[in-house]
Amino acid sequence: MHTLIKPDSYVVLRLPSETLKVVQIAPNTTISIGKYGSFQANLLLGRPYNLTFEILDKDKDHDYAYLRVVGASELHAEALADEDVIPAEPAEGKVFGAGDGVEYELVGENGEVLMRTNRETIDDSATQRMTMSEIETLKREGTGAGKDLIAKLIFSHSGLDQKTSFSLAKYTLRKTKKYIRRFTVLPLDVPMLTHWIMTDREPVKIMEMRGEILALMGSWANIHHSGASPLQPLGDGIVDTGSHRWLVVDETGGLVVAAMAEQMGILYQAQDDETSEPDPPTEQEPNMSSSNTANGVVEPQASSPTIERSQHHHDHIPGMSALTNTITLVHANAQPNLSLLKYFGFDTSNPTTSHPLHTHLKTLSWLQLLSPTEDIGYTEPETISPEVLQTYKSSKRGTYYRKRRRWERIKSVVDSTRAGGFDGLIVASVMDPATILQHTLPLLRGAAQVVIYSPNIEPLVELADLYSTTRRTAYVTASADEQQVLKEDFPLNPTLLLAPSIQTARVKNWQVLPGRTHPLMTGRGGAEGYLFTATRVLPAEGRVEARGKFKRRKTIRGEDVSGQAVPDVDAKAEDTKLGTNAGTEAGGVVKGNEKGEKTKGGLEDDSC
């Protein structure tokens, strides 16, 4: 994740109303944030994240408005002022409030109100002396970035003297959120993208997957970065499965893939040194990037050159060619649905060769996985000799080479996927999980983690029953013929997964205030979301026998040498059961005499 705002990157603007707006910082464009105003995108380029900007009034000498960086002391001025206030000592015999933070209305002997509440306050529009036309006029003038309008609204409130300190603070905060022209620039990472979709977009498109569930999936699947990975040259006929590879079935638009790529360190494109100076641009239009930041004001320079998007020329890098630290996506359509990856600079229809996902993200369809010979892309195109190729036009030769490269890429991905050896399986699909595991479990290595997400718990309960201990025991004790007869009872091999479990997690927001601490009642509903987790195991083949060296203890009838009671065992019958041992080497029978000594066939004493 980068610390500075880059051209063409997506950022999140947090408005004063606490709403989030995702915008792309395209150079030489104007960004509008509704009633709060608009500004030039170039004013944010090269700036760090998590800064709060204030849209100033438009100057007559410039066509664009300025941006002012709001300092932390100004942002938290009210909170700091409250902390600095030292409460006055109450008069003797007068109590101004209870210790639990609840205020009471107290009246002195002369009728003076020592403390009041808003119990009798009537919140009516008539208490505001300013008319709507006057308010709209002040909004159009937009002086003081909205602060002048807020001050006049508070000053013209006729019931201001009836408000308590708490209600006055709430009223001021409400008007500030409505009229102040400020915004905060936040980085767009996977948790922020998930929160934005869940609150402001359509959660159904991501299967109502919350951020905590997404993090839990990565934790159980053991997603991590494995370091640098070599590239596999295409067309060499060698299938190398590599290591640190995960198999994914994602129907959330690429959200699960993005979360995995972020933990694996392959989500963000590598940039040049952020502290280096940019290349000198050409003079075409006024550049909004070169700005004056004196007194915290970011303003445009009318005679500055413009920014042109830098064009980087890279050598041809074969796609999907990484051997380790890879994500293999199995999809059901002609093309995978990874639309959410565009917020991280990766477009599947036109991928950037410098992006890590270009080589580390591999995709194939279910048809290519199950029946590759039936897929037209897996069929090798006709091979043409170099002599014949020289007679073709350049466009026809280019088409031929593109077809060959596409076939080599598809064949390499399909062959390496069918070879198996994956370190984990992550599923977020509306399909029946049992049908998915039927074809993907054999591709996992031993001790690989299986994580399956479902908005509802019923499909996962049925899946957990297929791998229950009772079903596993019945499957192991049944013969091969009985397993074929009882195939309906065993749609999956219950010995391939160990310790199946179902779990969920939900983070609840709380309001933490003195005397008013409680969970927020405005939380959204929707699906709870559950995870099925298990470990892939390799069942032992053939008969399992326990072997080892067993040493018999020297015993007296009814107790051993330590004096502990032991059951009476017939030594002769015991030796006959065990076969040839130390007590029968001479062909005799071990007997115990009254002194606790053993004799070997009556020939010699054995005191050991």
Side-chain angles (χ1 to χ4, degrees), residues 131-153:
T131 62
M132 287 301 300
S133 60
E134 295 175 347
I135 295 176
E136 292 295 332
T137 302
L138 291 175
K139 287 171 62 178
R140 285 192 298 269
E141 293 177 357
T143 58
K147 290 181 286 187
D148 295 344
L149 175 58
I150 298 171
K152 291 181 180 180
L153 286 173

Side-chain angles (χ1 to χ4, degrees), residues 349-406:
S349 60
N350 186 21
T352 306
T353 57
S354 60
H355 200 285
L357 289 178
H358 176 66
T359 55
H360 292 265
L361 177 60
K362 304 181 180 183
T363 60
L364 75 161
S365 63
W366 282 107
L367 178 62
Q368 294 172 343
L369 178 64
L370 303 181
S371 301
T373 56
E374 299 180 8
D375 183 70
I376 190 174
Y378 190 79
T379 305
E380 183 179 3
E382 181 184 0
T383 303
I384 302 176
S385 61
E387 293 78 9
V388 178
L389 278 177
Q390 294 298 329
T391 61
Y392 287 175
K393 294 182 179 180
S394 58
S395 59
K396 193 173 182 179
R397 286 199 305 268
T399 303
Y400 169 77
Y401 287 124
R402 280 194 301 271
K403 289 182 178 180
R404 294 290 302 183
R405 286 195 298 266
R406 180 175 180 270

Side-chain angles (χ1 to χ4, degrees), residues 43-104:
L43 293 174
L44 299 180
L45 294 179
R47 307 289 173 186
Y49 288 100
N50 301 300
L51 286 182
T52 299
F53 296 89
E54 186 176 272
I55 304 177
L56 302 181
D57 306 332
K58 186 182 297 185
D59 194 353
K60 297 180 181 180
D61 299 335
H62 301 88
D63 296 334
Y64 310 101
Y66 301 168
L67 292 181
R68 185 178 69 90
V69 179
V70 183
S73 58
E74 184 178 352
L75 285 174
H76 307 287
E78 297 180 0
L80 295 176
D82 293 340
E83 294 179 359
D84 294 339
V85 172
I86 301 177
E89 293 291 337
E92 184 178 357
K94 297 181 180 180
V95 180
F96 287 88
D100 56 358
V102 180
E103 296 180 349
Y104 298 92

Side-chain angles (χ1 to χ4, degrees), residues 118-178:
N118 58 355
R119 183 184 305 171
E120 305 297 334
T121 303
I122 299 176
D123 193 3
D124 190 8
S125 59
T127 56
Q128 180 57 251
R129 291 189 292 264
M130 291 184 63
T131 62
M132 287 301 300
S133 60
E134 295 175 347
I135 295 176
E136 292 295 332
T137 302
L138 291 175
K139 287 171 62 178
R140 285 192 298 269
E141 293 177 357
T143 58
K147 290 181 286 187
D148 295 344
L149 175 58
I150 298 171
K152 291 181 180 180
L153 286 173
I154 297 176
F155 180 76
S156 60
H157 197 284
S158 60
L160 197 64
D161 56 343
Q162 301 177 4
K163 292 182 176 294
T164 63
S165 58
F166 178 71
S167 62
L168 179 59
K170 287 182 62 178
Y171 178 79
T172 305
L173 181 61
R174 186 167 64 250
K175 297 303 177 183
T176 301
K177 289 183 177 180
K178 187 175 182 180

